[in-house]
Amino acid sequence: MDLYEKIVKGEEKLSLVGLGYVGMPIAVAFAKKINVVGFDLNEKKIELYKSGIDPTNEVGDEVIRNTKVDFTADPAKLREAKFHIVAVPTPVNDDHTPDLTPVEGASRILGQNLTKGSIVVFESTVYPGVTEDICVPILEKESGLKCGVDFKIGYSPERINPGDKVHRLETITKIVSGMDEETLDIVAKIYELVVEVGVYRAESIKVAEAAKVIENSQRDINIAFMNELSMIFHKMDIDTRAVLEAAGTKWNFLKFMPGLVGGHCIGVDPYYLTYKAEELGYHSQIILSGRRINDDMGKYVAESLVKNLIKADIPVKHARVAILGFTFKENCPDTRNTKVIDIYKELGEYGIDPMVVDPAADAEEAKRLYGITFRSMDEVKDMDAVIIAVAHNDFLKLDRERIDSFYAASHKRKVLSDIKGVLNRKEYLTEDYLYWRL
């Protein structure tokens, strides 16, 4: 009887190491079929899960209340499992080099609690070679076991899209890989328990690692192109969205939109690929050019707002500006790696202290990470300018009357930056508005 059969029969358990926006939904999905240990070092998060609260809003409180996941912050509980999935963040340092601290730390903890006959699958996005060259030596050192003899490894890149209720674990084809055919077969069958659309068996771990890292690099480059087009078309006094809608009528036109590129994937993963390329003597040209454009978009948005304040004869220093939305994407509470902070900081360089409103965001996290205290929508009044930075559902409901109420009555022209284009542009192409969008 192999490990897959033992897990299906309830004789062995699966563990999830890292219970964030990616790991927790995976744990919950597997717990519908098999026995699952859900481990995270964050005791506060574990207590929330145990009390039936989903701080990520990925699956909801009711699902958490009813899940059979054995949530724990005790590393020793990992010894109860034989199949381990590691789903921890892989951020970058300030100099854009990979920060492998989380995945190395997870490997250490798991290694200290690894038992013979186990399979370890990494889901964290990394450059090709990290699983075998960095994680395996840590697992071997901490466990005293030998990879390939006492335990096996695999890699299956996460593809969960935080806040997306359509493209979920169950509905996205899962890439799987293993160090040998036997391991690959077990890893594939385990994931097929929860991935309804099936899995794709990559020919090696490095191929699976590379496939993941280029997925987001490709998106990053395409969005950078759209952002560059936006800057060009603004100089031509042409609306970018109108251009893209027209071009989009061709069957093979790729429908990307300009915007802020934050979060833990698209704005981070390309640096993992270019870092490894640099190690091998190749300096990226296209990938890093795209990154530079996207990293500068917050500054560009802030500068555009300041220009419109000047056009409206509103003093820039101490201007009253409200930023609606702070998370890295719509309808998601996560503020980590948000690019809205770049707008906030750049406005500060002009002597503006913006008010930030975000009913969907994790307010405690924003206060801890950025020192920002959110304000309520009711406090948005007598403004000189408003920036709609994130397309939360709450902001999609805003009508002209409500938006009018945000501004000081004395202003002849209201400065409005609609970064994501959530409003009907034609409604605001009036004499009393200076409307701007990417």
Side-chain angles (χ1 to χ4, degrees):
M1 190 186 301
D2 67 15
L3 181 55
Y4 167 75
E5 292 171 325
K6 289 180 179 177
I7 287 175
V8 170
K9 289 183 177 180
E11 296 174 14
E12 296 289 358
K13 297 179 182 179
L14 176 148
S15 88
L16 229 301
V17 180
L19 297 174
Y21 290 81
V22 173
M24 185 274 293
I26 297 172
V28 169
F30 272 115
K32 295 174 184 176
K33 309 278 186 176
I34 57 178
N35 296 323
V36 176
V37 175
F39 169 78
D40 198 288
L41 280 173
N42 188 330
E43 293 183 12
K44 183 179 178 183
K45 185 190 295 181
I46 292 297
E47 288 307 312
L48 286 174
Y49 288 144
K50 283 184 172 180
S51 60
I53 297 172
D54 175 12
T56 71
N57 288 341
E58 284 300 301
V59 299
D61 293 350
E62 185 177 353
V63 172
I64 290 295
R65 278 195 300 270
N66 295 316
T67 185
K68 295 179 181 177
V69 176
D70 182 6
F71 293 113
T72 182
D74 179 9
K77 291 279 284 184
L78 294 172
R79 295 172 192 168
E80 296 178 10
K82 275 287 195 287
F83 191 99
H84 305 276
I85 297 174
V86 179
V88 295
T90 40
V92 291
N93 297 305
D94 291 340
D95 62 356
H96 297 148
T97 56
D99 177 8
L100 294 174
T101 306
V103 77
E104 289 172 342
S107 298
R108 261 189 294 277
I109 290 171
L110 185 52
Q112 291 162 8
N113 297 281
L114 199 61
T115 58
K116 281 189 177 184
S118 294
I119 292 178
V120 180
V121 178
F122 289 88
E123 288 217 2
S124 307
T125 304
V126 292
Y127 57 79
V130 168
T131 300
E132 292 158 297
D133 302 338
I134 293 177
C135 298
V136 166
I138 294 173
L139 290 171
E140 289 183 327
K141 180 184 176 184
E142 297 295 336
S143 67
L145 303 175
K146 184 70 176 172
C147 184
V149 178
D150 301 313
F151 69 93
K152 302 288 186 73
I153 58 158
Y155 181 80
S156 180
E158 56 87 5
R159 280 175 161 174
I160 287 177
N161 186 22
D164 190 334
K165 304 305 179 187
V166 177
H167 301 98
R168 311 301 300 149
L169 173 69
E170 296 84 357
T171 62
I172 305 171
T173 300
K174 196 85 165 73
I175 295 175
V176 296
S177 64
M179 66 183 296
D180 53 40
E181 285 300 318
E182 180 189 16
T183 307
L184 174 59
D185 191 55
I186 294 172
V187 171
K189 287 193 291 187
I190 291 288
Y191 276 105
E192 282 171 342
L193 289 172
V194 294
V195 182
E196 295 166 4
V197 293
V199 303
Y200 176 85
R201 300 186 181 206
E203 67 176 48
S204 71
I205 287 174
K206 283 188 174 69
V207 165
E209 290 170 323
K212 170 57 182 177
V213 83
I214 70 162
E215 288 174 18
N216 287 326
S217 296
Q218 182 188 64
R219 286 185 59 78
D220 193 46
I221 292 165
N222 278 293
I223 295 169
F225 177 47
M226 296 299 129
N227 281 333
E228 188 167 54
L229 290 178
S230 177
M231 289 185 271
I232 293 169
F233 291 142
H234 271 294
K235 290 184 178 297
M236 297 178 176
D237 197 26
I238 301 173
D239 181 60
T240 307
R241 176 165 291 201
V243 174
L244 296 178
E245 285 174 356
T249 58
K250 190 180 181 190
W251 75 92
N252 60 354
F253 185 80
L254 301 179
K255 296 185 178 181
F256 286 89
M257 298 294 289
L260 303 175
V261 183
H264 317 288
C265 297
I266 301 177
V268 172
D269 296 354
Y271 287 124
Y272 274 72
L273 186 57
T274 57
Y275 171 82
K276 188 60 180 178
E278 290 275 3
E279 270 194 344
L280 299 172
Y282 180 80
H283 180 72
S284 163
Q285 298 176 66
I286 293 175
I287 300 172
L288 286 180
S289 293
R291 277 281 76 234
R292 281 192 294 272
I293 290 171
N294 287 342
D295 274 346
D296 286 343
M297 288 310 289
K299 185 174 186 289
Y300 174 66
V301 169
E303 288 174 348
S304 298
L305 181 89
V306 168
K307 288 176 183 177
N308 278 343
L309 285 171
I310 293 168
K311 281 182 188 176
D313 292 323
I314 298 171
V316 173
K317 193 172 184 180
H318 304 309
R320 288 175 55 81
V321 177
I323 299 176
L324 306 187
F326 192 73
T327 59
F328 84 88
K329 68 176 296 185
E330 62 273 9
N331 305 317
C332 173
D334 198 351
T335 65
R336 296 171 299 167
N337 291 0
T338 177
K339 285 298 176 180
V340 181
I341 189 63
D342 293 350
I343 302 172
Y344 182 92
K345 288 179 177 178
E346 189 64 24
L347 290 176
E349 295 292 316
Y350 289 93
I352 299 171
D353 183 18
M355 169 193 299
V356 181
V357 176
D358 196 322
D362 185 332
E364 286 185 20
E365 182 180 76
K367 179 69 174 174
R368 185 179 72 253
L369 295 179
Y370 308 104
I372 293 174
T373 301
F374 292 151
R375 311 283 283 275
S376 72
M377 286 284 283
D378 292 337
E379 294 178 81
V380 184
K381 26 177 102 160
D382 297 324
M383 292 291 126
D384 297 314
V386 174
I387 302 173
I388 303 177
V390 185
H392 289 319
N393 287 338
D394 284 352
F395 302 148
L396 299 182
K397 300 171 187 173
L398 294 172
D399 58 18
R400 174 67 185 262
E401 184 180 357
R402 185 70 198 278
I403 289 175
D404 283 348
S405 72
F406 293 156
Y407 294 87
S410 58
H411 287 326
K412 292 180 180 178
R413 304 203 76 182
K414 304 174 182 69
V415 175
L416 176 60
S417 293
D418 179 14
I419 296 176
K420 301 283 284 186
V422 302
L423 302 175
N424 181 349
R425 173 173 168 265
K426 291 180 181 178
E427 267 193 70
Y428 299 89
L429 294 180
T430 55
E431 287 186 5
D432 57 336
Y433 268 92
L434 267 172
Y435 176 86
W436 183 94
R437 69 183 184 186
L438 281 175

